[in-house]
Amino acid sequence: MQQQQQDLENFSVDWSQVTKPKLSEKRIKKQEIKQNIPTEVNVFERIQNCFRYRIATLITQLGQPQYYCKFDPKIKRTVQSNNNQKKKLEEQLSKIATQLELSCRFITRSMFQITRQPLLKSMGIDIRSILNKAMNDKEFQKLYLDLDDQSEEQRKKEEETEKLLAQIQPLSEPEVREEIEKLRKKHNLNQNQYLYVIQGEYFNDMKTLFNSLGKELHYFLLGWVEIDDVYTQVYDFKFCYLKKFLHKPTPEQVVSRFASSKLLTTKFGLARSLKSCYILGGVDSNTFFPRCYDLSDEGDFEDFLEEYKFTFAENYIKKNPKDEQKIQIAIQILNYKLMSIQDKINRITAEDYPVCTPQQWQILYKKPEPKQDIVQFDNQNIMESVKQILQDLSNVDPQFKISKGENIWVTKPCGLSRGRGVKYFKALEDILAYTFGAKDVNFVAQKCLENIMTIQKRKFDIRQWIIVSDIQPLTIWMYRECYVRFCGVEYNTDDLKNRYAHLTNFSVQKNNEENQEEKLMMTQEEFVQILKERGCDFESQVREKFKSIIIATMKSCQKSFEIRKNTFEVFGLDFIVDEDCNPWLIEVNASPTFAFSTPVTERLNKIGLTDLGQFIVEHIYNKTKKKNYGGWEFIYKQKL
């Protein structure tokens, strides 16, 4: 620890060489970027467990990211030891974090270009041959079939919607206010009654609540008034799935969607936001979010390739290794992962191969294992070295347990929902062929949990609802009940192509005729009982961790949201639980479905939507300050 602290004290940055990240044209207002949100960061605790790719991300997003095949002298000058510089380490790292946080928000993403070939060649990969494989292999061609599975009827409906929206002339704020006032007078509404619009077919219970609210005059009940036109700009409150139905609301209008939540609800956005999670929220995202890389971004793509080497080496020695040469290379790679911070920085800025040479990688990755069951090693202590390196890794890597020797990665196309295009792979060539072969689609690659908890040998995940009712100060509510979604087929890592064994989405599972609908979901009460039988406590080991993960996640992307009062949004978070009953965040969904797909969701959605209506009326409109509204429980409000 003393040596690590000494390394850190000598670590400094020459800020005269730092280039500020370029912001996109869609950046938010400067005053919103400059919000000073107080945080407490234990820098030594944060940095001592950093891997190469974390440090590289901090460094390279300040300058040029091309440090693998084409080295830039600016990088060497950017990160250098400077004992005369008396700035505190915490101050320097805070500045780096600020640059990282901003560049994560506004970095321009681009599709993969063939110019990355030199980087892949350093791993012995010919991308042209991989692309040819993707085009000619029938098995790979099947992988793209569900990237766009919308029916012709759905397409026409969307086209008609777009045409209608294009024909609507936006009203000015005074015009909107004038039309609202006319309509309110027409319906004889008092100050506690409102014009509302709800888009969606599952909200009858919420509508019933709205229609029953109002001023009781002994002989009749006057409720809120529903406007059937989802395209209208004339309303007091609008609840809609799609932001395009909102137009631009006036300050007085209440809406159910924030202007932008891409850095929370998109696959690449969440991965980027959580990089700054510790700095902004004091929680290391590596303890609850499996490492994830945006393959369309230059820096993330490089980090993914290097992390794949680390993970492959770790998984190799975890699974009964037999080749002494390969074991030695794997240990060398993993020792690099355990280097001190300054040594990593020196290595990054030096003109040598990252992690290992192309020749070493080819031996580790492609050399066949000995066929005999018992192997006699020349180095009698080599297995002791394996045990020691694995012990060292387990001490510093919060994701050490999620790999059990399989090295499984999941690739997810950005912008698609309901499990479309999600595929699981082990081989790097298969990942590259799939993600490079799909035109006009960006992908993320995320490490899979190989130590998942299963129930009746089936994979499951948990859907948890939250409400964000304010961005400044950040205010969060969590629903008291979640529900569990199952795969219909037993979990099997030897068959990664079976979607019914790996994807819990009901939209996927319902297509399997052998699935029994009632077995695809489970209530929270049933899940709590199963955990209890396994010696786990749901409240302390799952639900309380949900809360801390939700708060940290929202803090990490807070600055990307538009600060607007009279706005709230419901999000659906998906978690997986590991063998030790630790929850891991997988993704965050905007406009989570409230479909009555199974008896479990029909009951819960009806209750949840009624409670949501209560929350809207009492908290949003009547400004009451309760700790819960039905099942919606207050969990966090930021202190400014």
Side-chain angles (χ1 to χ4, degrees):
M1 183 64 183
Q2 291 180 348
Q3 180 61 44
Q4 288 175 332
Q5 290 186 356
Q6 185 177 356
D7 289 338
L8 291 170
E9 288 168 358
N10 293 330
F11 169 51
S12 59
V13 175
D14 180 2
W15 291 98
S16 64
Q17 301 297 332
V18 173
T19 304
K20 294 182 179 180
K22 295 180 180 179
L23 307 184
S24 73
E25 295 178 358
K26 295 184 178 180
R27 62 184 178 224
I28 56 180
K29 296 177 181 178
K30 290 183 179 179
Q31 58 266 32
E32 295 173 12
I33 297 175
K34 293 180 179 179
Q35 291 168 5
N36 183 21
I37 300 174
T39 57
E40 294 181 5
V41 178
N42 183 334
V43 177
F44 288 101
E45 179 185 337
R46 170 72 179 95
I47 294 298
Q48 67 179 342
N49 294 338
C50 274
F51 301 149
R52 199 289 314 163
Y53 63 89
R54 296 193 206 168
I55 292 291
T57 300
L58 291 172
I59 294 170
T60 58
Q61 289 195 357
L62 297 176
Q64 298 296 321
Q66 301 290 353
Y67 53 88
Y68 279 88
C69 304
K70 188 175 181 181
F71 297 92
D72 190 330
K74 289 182 180 180
I75 298 177
K76 296 182 181 180
R77 294 198 299 271
T78 298
V79 181
Q80 59 186 10
S81 179
N82 186 348
N83 295 325
N84 296 326
Q85 196 173 18
K86 295 183 179 181
K87 292 182 180 179
K88 292 182 179 180
L89 174 66
E90 287 84 352
E91 183 181 348
Q92 296 179 36
L93 291 176
S94 294
K95 289 183 178 179
I96 291 179
T98 300
Q99 298 293 328
L100 169 64
E101 199 265 337
L102 289 176
S103 59
C104 280
R105 304 283 171 259
F106 306 112
I107 192 167
T108 301
R109 302 166 68 250
S110 59
M111 293 296 293
F112 178 86
Q113 300 296 326
I114 207 71
T115 53
R116 295 187 191 180
Q117 279 201 80
L119 175 59
L120 295 170
K121 279 187 176 180
S122 72
M123 298 177 69
I125 296 172
D126 181 0
I127 193 60
R128 293 189 185 278
S129 64
I130 286 180
L131 291 175
N132 287 333
K133 176 183 179 181
M135 288 187 290
N136 299 322
D137 193 318
K138 291 183 179 179
E139 195 61 45
F140 271 102
Q141 290 172 7
K142 292 179 183 177
L143 296 177
Y144 303 124
L145 294 180
D146 65 343
L147 283 178
D148 190 2
D149 64 355
Q150 287 183 310
S151 65
E152 189 63 28
E153 183 180 347
Q154 287 175 310
R155 289 180 186 277
K156 289 181 179 179
K157 189 174 180 180
E158 288 195 0
E159 289 175 1
E160 290 173 1
T161 299
E162 293 295 338
K163 288 179 181 178
L164 284 171
L165 288 170
Q167 293 171 2
I168 297 174
Q169 293 296 323
L171 302 176
S172 66
E173 285 191 15
E175 289 173 330
V176 171
R177 292 189 181 99
E178 183 180 347
E179 292 300 318
I180 289 175
E181 192 58 33
K182 287 180 182 178
L183 201 53
R184 288 177 62 81
K185 286 181 179 179
K186 176 182 176 181
H187 290 282
N188 195 28
L189 298 182
N190 63 36
Q191 62 179 0
N192 294 320
Q193 297 166 303
Y194 303 95
L195 304 164
Y196 74 90
V197 181
I198 292 183
Q199 176 200 6
E201 56 184 306
Y202 302 107
F203 299 95
N204 288 334
D205 292 281
M206 195 158 70
K207 291 178 181 179
T208 301
L209 175 66
F210 288 162
N211 295 337
S212 68
L213 295 169
K215 182 179 179 182
E216 189 170 3
L217 299 176
H218 301 293
Y219 53 88
F220 74 100
L221 198 66
L222 186 64
W224 288 21
V225 173
E226 181 182 3
I227 308 299
D228 292 330
D229 181 10
V230 295
Y231 302 99
T232 184
Q233 301 170 62
V234 182
Y235 57 85
D236 293 307
F237 166 65
K238 181 178 276 194
F239 187 96
C240 63
Y241 267 17
L242 302 175
K243 283 181 284 193
K244 60 187 177 184
F245 286 96
L246 291 177
H247 302 283
K248 186 176 181 180
T250 66
E252 298 83 11
Q253 290 177 305
V254 176
V255 294
S256 65
R257 296 293 302 271
F258 289 102
S260 177
S261 59
K262 282 186 177 182
L263 292 167
L264 174 67
T265 58
T266 61
K267 297 173 180 67
F268 79 89
L270 183 62
R272 287 189 172 282
S273 294
L274 289 177
K275 287 181 180 178
S276 54
C277 189
Y278 192 95
I279 301 299
L280 298 174
V283 179
D284 186 354
S285 63
N286 289 279
T287 62
F288 66 81
F289 184 69
R291 46 193 178 269
C292 184
Y293 302 91
D294 178 359
L295 299 184
S296 67
D297 174 69
E298 197 79 16
D300 256 25
F301 177 74
E302 293 175 352
D303 286 344
F304 162 70
L305 290 182
E306 184 158 327
E307 180 55 32
Y308 186 90
K309 295 177 188 177
F310 284 140
T311 309
F312 186 89
E314 178 185 322
N315 278 276
Y316 174 71
I317 62 174
K318 277 183 175 179
K319 200 171 184 179
N320 190 26
K322 299 177 182 178
D323 188 290
E324 185 170 344
Q325 185 184 23
K326 293 169 69 175
I327 293 172
Q328 289 174 337
I329 293 172
I331 291 175
Q332 175 188 319
I333 290 173
L334 295 172
N335 273 323
Y336 175 43
K337 188 174 184 175
L338 294 168
M339 280 183 180
S340 68
I341 302 302
Q342 192 63 58
D343 286 343
K344 288 176 184 175
I345 292 169
N346 292 339
R347 184 72 179 265
I348 290 168
T349 57
E351 293 191 15
D352 57 6
Y353 288 103
V355 184
C356 62
T357 66
Q359 293 78 14
Q360 289 173 320
W361 175 247
Q362 288 301 303
I363 292 171
L364 176 63
Y365 187 62
K366 292 190 174 180
K367 184 181 178 183
E369 283 286 275
K371 294 182 179 180
Q372 59 267 37
D373 293 331
I374 300 175
V375 179
Q376 187 68 35
F377 297 114
D378 293 335
N379 182 353
Q380 300 300 315
N381 299 320
I382 193 165
M383 293 312 295
E384 289 300 319
S385 299
V386 168
K387 291 179 182 178
Q388 184 60 53
I389 195 74
L390 290 176
Q391 180 61 50
D392 292 343
L393 285 170
S394 68
N395 292 336
V396 300
D397 185 358
Q399 298 191 20
F400 178 77
K401 288 186 177 181
I402 73 173
S403 292
K404 299 184 71 174
E406 300 289 346
N407 198 28
I408 302 172
W409 291 78
V410 57
T411 56
K412 306 175 185 178
C414 301
L416 294 179
S417 59
R418 307 191 304 278
R420 288 178 293 164
V422 176
K423 304 292 177 185
Y424 294 81
F425 299 103
K426 295 181 183 180
L428 179 60
E429 290 87 351
D430 291 345
I431 295 173
L432 298 178
Y434 180 52
T435 57
F436 293 175
K439 295 181 179 179
D440 303 322
V441 180
N442 290 334
F443 284 85
V444 298
Q446 186 169 35
K447 184 66 186 72
C448 283
L449 272 75
E450 298 169 18
N451 64 334
I452 63 170
M453 179 185 289
T454 59
I455 296 177
Q456 297 177 347
K457 297 183 180 180
R458 291 182 295 153
K459 181 180 179 181
F460 67 88
D461 70 5
I462 302 172
R463 168 59 61 87
Q464 175 67 60
W465 299 327
I466 68 167
I467 293 175
V468 177
S469 60
D470 204 344
I471 290 299
Q472 189 77 345
L474 181 61
T475 309
I476 308 172
W477 308 73
M478 187 168 95
Y479 201 65
R480 68 183 171 197
E481 276 194 70
C482 56
Y483 63 92
V484 182
R485 308 182 302 183
F486 284 91
C487 287
V489 177
E490 289 186 1
Y491 182 65
N492 182 5
T493 57
D494 293 329
D495 184 9
L496 297 180
K497 295 177 183 178
N498 189 339
R499 295 164 61 78
Y500 303 128
H502 296 280
L503 294 176
T504 60
N505 308 68
F506 182 78
S507 56
V508 172
Q509 294 296 333
K510 69 181 181 181
N511 296 320
N512 184 3
E513 295 179 357
E514 298 180 5
N515 284 339
Q516 295 179 359
E517 205 172 78
E518 64 273 12
K519 293 185 177 181
L520 292 177
M521 293 192 187
M522 176 184 288
T523 65
Q524 177 176 297
E525 184 179 3
E526 293 171 314
F527 182 57
V528 168
Q529 185 58 37
I530 288 175
L531 292 185
K532 187 176 181 180
E533 293 170 359
R534 298 184 180 187
C536 301
D537 180 66
F538 175 79
E539 285 296 325
S540 62
Q541 292 181 267
V542 178
R543 186 168 174 80
E544 285 303 312
K545 290 181 180 178
F546 276 4
K547 292 179 182 179
S548 61
I549 291 171
I550 289 165
I551 293 168
T553 300
M554 289 307 308
K555 283 184 176 180
S556 74
C557 63
Q558 180 183 6
K559 290 183 181 179
S560 69
F561 280 75
E562 176 193 35
I563 298 176
R564 182 187 185 276
K565 300 300 179 181
N566 290 330
T567 306
F568 71 95
E569 189 160 354
V570 181
F571 298 101
L573 286 79
D574 294 337
F575 293 91
I576 286 182
V577 179
D578 67 22
E579 294 171 332
D580 298 323
C581 206
N582 296 310
W584 294 79
L585 177 66
I586 302 303
E587 62 183 25
V588 180
N589 300 274
S591 300
T593 179
F594 288 100
F596 302 157
S597 49
T598 69
V600 171
T601 52
E602 181 175 1
R603 181 197 68 85
L604 186 58
N605 289 346
K606 285 184 176 182
I607 298 172
L609 289 172
T610 300
D611 292 345
L612 178 59
Q614 181 185 347
F615 175 86
I616 292 166
V617 173
E618 294 191 32
H619 182 73
I620 303 296
Y621 278 96
N622 295 345
K623 309 296 182 185
T624 59
K625 296 183 178 180
K626 297 181 181 180
K627 291 294 183 182
N628 60 74
Y629 297 91
W632 293 101
E633 299 175 347
F634 170 79
I635 64 168
Y636 179 75
K637 185 170 184 178
Q638 189 177 49
K639 294 180 180 179
L640 297 179

